[in-house]
């Protein structure tokens, strides 16, 4: 029996409250993990789109002759990703540089700015780079998307 001036919870009430909190916490953890994965996928799509756009823009400018003579064997594709950031010196007396990227974005799954690269002479599904030029990029992560497709195939 309780006295009128006693306050607090009984042991049973505390156990029930903690049990409910644990159940709610275990339900929230998978939701948080899936939310993080969705955000990483979105960031990966954005980074890939940004770099593919820069690579294509480099190719277009090189094909039009704006970037001067290109190295043989590259087929007017950039030799490395760093060229897109450092820029290409334009022909002419003023010596201006044209840059295609401000920086190489980090792979959201790997946390590094290291990307897998393919040249236009490599097999489209190849995970090794021939080294001639940068035609395509991909994430080096081994993780798979919800549809079962590897992120390196995006």
């Amino acid at each position: 029996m309780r006295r009128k001036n006693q306050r607090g919870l009984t042991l049973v009430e505390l156990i029930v409250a903690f049990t409910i909190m644990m159940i709610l916490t275990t339900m929230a953890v998978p939701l948080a993990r899936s939310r993080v994965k969705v955000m990483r996928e979105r960031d990966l799509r954005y980074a890939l789109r940004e770099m593919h756009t820069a690579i294509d823009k480099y190719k277009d400018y090189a094909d039009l002759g704006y970037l001067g003579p290109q190295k043989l064997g590259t087929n007017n594709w950039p030799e490395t990703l760093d060229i897109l950031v450092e820029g290409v010196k334009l022909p002419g007396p003023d010596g201006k540089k044209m840059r295609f990227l401000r920086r190489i974005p980090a792979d959201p799954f790997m946390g590094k700015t290291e990307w897998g690269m393919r040249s236009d002479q490599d097999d489209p599904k190849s995970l090794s780079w021939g080294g001639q030029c940068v035609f395509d990029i991909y994430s080096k992560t081994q993780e798979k998307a919800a549809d079962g497709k590897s992120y390196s195939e995006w």
Side-chain angles (χ1 to χ4, degrees), residues 43-114:
D43 293 344
L44 178 63
R45 279 191 190 97
Y46 179 77
L48 289 172
R49 186 179 325 118
E50 180 181 18
M51 289 195 301
H52 281 132
T53 301
I55 291 168
D56 292 342
K57 191 173 184 180
Y58 181 98
K59 169 73 168 157
D60 292 342
Y61 279 44
D63 286 343
L64 293 172
Y66 295 151
L67 305 180
Q70 296 292 305
K71 183 178 175 183
L72 290 176
T74 62
N75 297 330
N76 292 341
W77 294 101
E79 293 177 54
T80 64
L81 290 177
D82 294 330
I83 289 175
L84 300 173
V85 176
E86 294 166 6
V88 179
K89 187 174 179 182
L90 298 174
D94 52 357
K96 290 184 178 180
K97 276 190 168 184
M98 178 173 278
R99 292 181 174 86
F100 298 91
L101 281 175
R102 290 182 183 217
R103 62 178 175 75
I104 297 173
D107 181 341
F109 286 95
M110 301 297 287
K112 300 176 185 175
T113 58
E114 296 174 13

Side-chain angles (χ1 to χ4, degrees), residues 1 27-28 32-33 71 125:
M1 292 184 74
M27 289 171 47
R33 284 186 182 152
K71 183 178 175 183
K125 299 288 183 184

Side-chain angles (χ1 to χ4, degrees), residues 26-43:
T26 57
M27 289 171 47
V29 169
L31 291 174
R33 284 186 182 152
S34 68
R35 180 71 180 145
V36 168
K37 190 169 185 174
V38 166
M39 288 174 48
R40 284 184 178 169
E41 286 178 356
R42 184 197 62 207
D43 293 344

